[in-house]
């Protein structure tokens, strides 16, 4: 339904669109987005609400007609034999009856109903991938308590990414199978690390998301601990990687203690956290998501683990950034980071904050709840971010715009084409004002992804984008565009707390 909403918003004259079930929570979302029109106010959880805001009635009518057409054109589900179409299961019991060997339930209902469905799945002995958000913390605690009792996993709530036995769930990439196991509370963090491991020639045994609240004091890291135990016992996993924002202190201690008794090398990236505690626990501390991938690959190959650190940048990237800096005019001194991935946004904020004063950069996560009310996720719908790319170019202080492009299952089918019009317009705006503008990006993906990494990167280069091989290096390029490295002695660059940037969480 989010994809259909995105298609409707692409029509001329349509300003907003949403397709949501008429639950109380969804009605609140539509009301906040100005989309709760009279008829929808009385909708129930069993009603599908199609809401369109348009500049004229004929545009709204066209959008509603397209929505009807797209809903009716959804592919029929074939039976196991592939020759007879039949309706998909409507309940968990029907789904289990149709697939009695299933071992996992993927739940993506509104949060108010997700707990009950997850509980049913656990009682039937199924692992749970809980994509739903808005599940209460007490419900999450209870679900994970029961899962631990039954030796099952509850991945989520609000879990965006997992790859289990090679099967991608949620937003995930087509990465090769291998010997590195990843566990994370971060969706795009897991995507970035798994894709970089793939590019470096290794692969993932399992990628287990645990949800953004799992490492809170209240939840206690229940599923992170369960996943560590599983990968410790998994003969296919030689190295573990843990990815998260800094956990609650007591939870971090518990997680690191568990990592220390696995008998396997463990690379830990707690973005913005203190690496000393990680090293004291016998694990390998990474400074960035790229470092985590590099360190894991090195350890898997029996090599000395050496990361790039928070300041690392290769020579080609340095030269590109220096050339861009030379083209700036007085007054251009800021970096505008516009992200679709919450963890990629946070990482960029840490790197920018380590080198620049707070008034010389900003980063925004357009996947945060604040920006997704009534809209599809920005990995699917580029419209809002595109508007902000052009707005950033209109600011005479902007020297560089920093972007993430996330490929994989669930993301836009052609992200480079989706963002291209905004890039062209942004450049035209800057040129008309006599300014240069550097657009720096990294692409999180693989050549096996449906969008194709090489194809997407080629299209972005053709649009004049400076491409870095990782999100961390993209941020460093942006720093170097606006700041002469000679003015930033290495000794002055060190640990940052994240307090100098504004970036909310999210996928």
């Amino acid at each position: 339904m989010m994809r259909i909403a995105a298609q409707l918003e692409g029509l001329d004259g349509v300003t907003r669109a949403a397709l949501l079930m008429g639950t109380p929570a969804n009605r609140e979302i539509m009301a906040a987005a100005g989309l709760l029109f009279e008829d929808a106010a009385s909708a129930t959880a069993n009603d599908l609400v199609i809401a369109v805001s348009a500049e004229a009635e004929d545009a709204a009518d066209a959008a509603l007609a397209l929505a009807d057409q797209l809903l009716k054109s959804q592919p029929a589900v074939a039976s196991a034999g592939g020759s007879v179409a039949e309706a998909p299961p409507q309940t968990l019991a029907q789904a289990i009856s149709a697939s009695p060997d299933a071992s996992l339930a993927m739940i993506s209902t509104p949060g108010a109903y997700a707990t009950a469905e997850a509980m049913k799945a656990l009682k039937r002995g199924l692992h749970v991938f809980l994509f739903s958000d808005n599940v209460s913390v007490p419900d999450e605690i209870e679900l994970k308590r029961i899962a631990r009792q039954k030796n099952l996993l509850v991945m989520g709530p609000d879990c965006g990414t997992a790859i289990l036995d090679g099967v991608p769930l949620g937003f995930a990439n087509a990465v090769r199978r291998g010997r590195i196991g990843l566990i994370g509370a971060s969706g795009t963090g897991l995507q970035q690390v798994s894709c970089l491991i793939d590019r470096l020639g290794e692969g993932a045994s399992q990628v287990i998301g645990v949800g953004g609240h799992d490492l809170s004091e209240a939840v206690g890291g229940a599923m992170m601990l369960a996943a560590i135990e599983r990968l410790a016992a998994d003969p296919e996993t030689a190295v573990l990687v843990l990815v998260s924002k800094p956990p609650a202190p007591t939870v971090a201690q518990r997680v690191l203690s568990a990592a220390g008794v696995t008998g396997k090398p463990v690379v830990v990236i707690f973005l913005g956290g203190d690496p000393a505690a990680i090293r004291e626990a016998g694990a390998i501390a990474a400074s960035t998501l790229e470092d985590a991938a590099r360190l894991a690959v090195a350890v898997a190959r029996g090599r000395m683990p050496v990361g790039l650190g928070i300041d690392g940048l290769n020579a080609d990237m340095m030269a590109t950034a220096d050339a861009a800096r030379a083209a700036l005019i007085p007054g251009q001194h800021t970096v505008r980071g516009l992200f679709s991935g919450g963890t990629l946004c946070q990482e960029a904020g840490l790197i920018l904050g380590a080198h620049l004063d707070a008034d010389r950069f900003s980063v925004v996560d357009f996947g945060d709840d604040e920006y997704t009310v009534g809209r599809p996720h920005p990995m699917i719908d580029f419209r809002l971010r595109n508007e902000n790319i052009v707005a950033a170019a209109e600011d005479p202080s902007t020297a560089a715009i920093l972007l993430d492009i996330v490929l994989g299952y669930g993301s836009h089918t052609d992200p480079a084409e989706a963002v291209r019009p905004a890039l062209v317009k942004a450049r035209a705006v800057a040129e008309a004002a006599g300014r240069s503008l550097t657009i720096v990006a990294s692409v999180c993906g693989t050549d096996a992804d449906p969008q194709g990494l090489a194809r997407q990167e080629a299209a972005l280069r053709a649009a004049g984008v400076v491409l870095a091989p990782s999100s961390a290096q993209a941020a460093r390029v942006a720093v170097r565009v606006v700041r002469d490295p000679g003015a930033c002695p290495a000794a002055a660059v060190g640990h940052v707390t994240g307090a100098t940037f504004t970036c909310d969480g999210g996928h």
Side-chain angles (χ1 to χ4, degrees):
M1 289 193 287
M2 289 191 296
R3 290 186 185 280
I4 294 176
Q7 287 183 259
L8 300 189
E9 289 197 343
L11 296 176
D12 289 340
V14 175
T15 54
R16 297 292 299 271
L19 279 76
L20 296 168
M21 302 307 293
T23 64
N26 284 342
R27 292 202 304 271
E28 289 181 11
I29 289 172
M30 287 186 282
L35 292 170
L36 188 65
F37 304 113
E38 185 175 350
D39 292 345
S42 58
T44 72
N46 294 320
D47 296 322
L48 172 62
V49 179
I50 306 172
V52 175
S53 175
E55 296 170 355
E57 190 168 344
D58 58 346
D61 289 342
L64 292 172
L66 178 59
D68 186 58
Q69 175 189 336
L70 293 172
L71 287 168
K72 289 177 178 176
S73 67
Q74 296 302 299
V77 176
S79 68
S83 59
V84 180
E86 58 185 29
Q90 300 297 306
T91 67
L92 185 65
Q94 291 176 358
I96 293 173
S97 177
S99 303
D101 295 331
S103 59
L104 179 144
M106 182 173 178
I107 296 171
S108 184
T109 65
Y113 308 99
T115 299
E117 296 304 314
M119 196 66 77
K120 292 176 190 174
L122 289 173
K123 288 179 178 177
R124 290 174 176 267
L126 300 178
H127 300 290
V128 172
F129 180 87
L130 193 50
F131 194 76
S132 308
D133 56 8
N134 294 315
V135 174
S136 71
V137 171
D139 282 357
E140 179 175 352
I141 293 171
E142 180 63 8
L143 288 171
K144 291 183 173 179
R145 184 187 68 79
I146 293 173
R148 288 289 271 172
Q149 286 180 345
K150 292 178 169 289
N151 194 29
L152 295 169
L153 293 175
V154 171
M155 291 163 277
D158 201 14
C159 184
T161 300
I163 305 173
L164 305 177
D165 294 336
V167 178
L169 302 173
F171 291 103
N173 300 88
V175 300
R176 74 187 79 198
R177 298 297 305 277
R179 50 187 168 173
I180 300 174
L182 287 78
I183 309 167
S186 149
T188 47
L190 286 175
Q191 287 189 264
Q192 173 77 135
V193 176
S194 62
C195 287
L196 292 175
I197 287 172
D198 182 277
R199 285 198 215 183
L200 293 167
E202 291 288 337
S205 57
Q206 306 288 346
V207 178
I208 303 174
V210 297
H213 300 295
D214 189 74
L215 296 176
S216 66
E217 187 73 44
V219 183
M223 286 301 107
M224 176 73 83
L225 294 169
I228 290 173
E229 291 171 8
R230 283 180 174 273
L231 295 190
D234 177 19
E236 304 299 321
T237 299
V239 180
L240 279 70
V241 181
L242 311 182
V243 184
S244 175
K245 299 170 183 174
T250 57
V251 178
Q253 186 175 22
R254 209 173 300 154
V255 167
L256 292 173
S257 295
V261 298
T262 60
K264 299 179 179 180
V266 181
V267 176
V268 180
I269 171 71
F270 289 156
L271 269 175
D274 184 356
I278 297 171
R279 297 191 183 103
E280 289 171 4
I284 302 165
S287 301
T288 65
L289 299 169
E290 180 181 9
D291 257 6
R294 288 180 176 277
L295 293 168
V297 168
V299 171
R301 293 174 176 173
R303 298 174 183 168
M304 180 69 71
V306 178
L308 290 173
I310 201 166
D311 302 319
L313 194 63
N314 68 40
D316 290 343
M317 289 289 99
M318 288 183 192
T320 300
D322 291 345
R325 187 175 64 255
L328 298 178
I329 65 174
Q332 283 190 280
H333 54 76
T334 59
V335 176
R336 305 296 184 195
L338 307 172
F339 288 85
S340 59
T343 303
L344 303 180
C345 177
Q346 183 190 14
E347 180 183 55
L350 288 167
I351 293 172
L352 294 168
H355 297 265
L356 302 174
D357 292 336
D359 62 352
R360 295 190 61 188
F361 75 93
S362 63
V363 289
V364 179
D365 169 20
F366 285 97
D368 186 71
D369 292 346
E370 177 183 356
Y371 301 101
T372 56
V373 174
R375 290 181 182 274
H377 194 279
M379 290 184 196
I380 301 169
D381 179 3
F382 279 62
R383 181 173 173 175
L384 181 60
R385 185 162 71 154
N386 282 354
E387 292 172 358
N388 280 269
I389 289 172
V390 176
E394 291 170 345
D395 181 346
S397 75
T398 300
I401 295 175
L402 179 59
L403 305 173
D404 62 341
I405 304 293
V406 182
L407 312 184
Y409 303 104
S411 292
H412 193 284
T413 55
D414 190 352
E417 179 58 26
V419 75
R420 189 185 60 80
L423 303 180
V424 171
K425 190 170 183 179
R427 288 191 174 285
V429 166
E431 289 174 8
R435 293 181 271 113
S436 67
L437 177 66
T438 301
I439 300 173
V440 187
S442 64
V443 182
C444 176
T446 72
D447 282 326
D449 279 330
Q451 304 89 346
L453 175 63
R455 186 168 66 252
Q456 292 295 314
E457 289 189 332
L460 291 166
R461 285 195 183 95
V465 176
V466 175
L467 283 181
S470 72
S471 56
Q473 290 204 45
R476 296 182 193 117
V477 169
V479 168
R480 196 169 174 111
V481 167
V482 299
R483 180 157 190 166
D484 186 333
C488 184
V493 180
H495 176 70
V496 295
T497 64
T500 56
F501 66 95
T502 55
C503 176
D504 294 325
H507 181 79

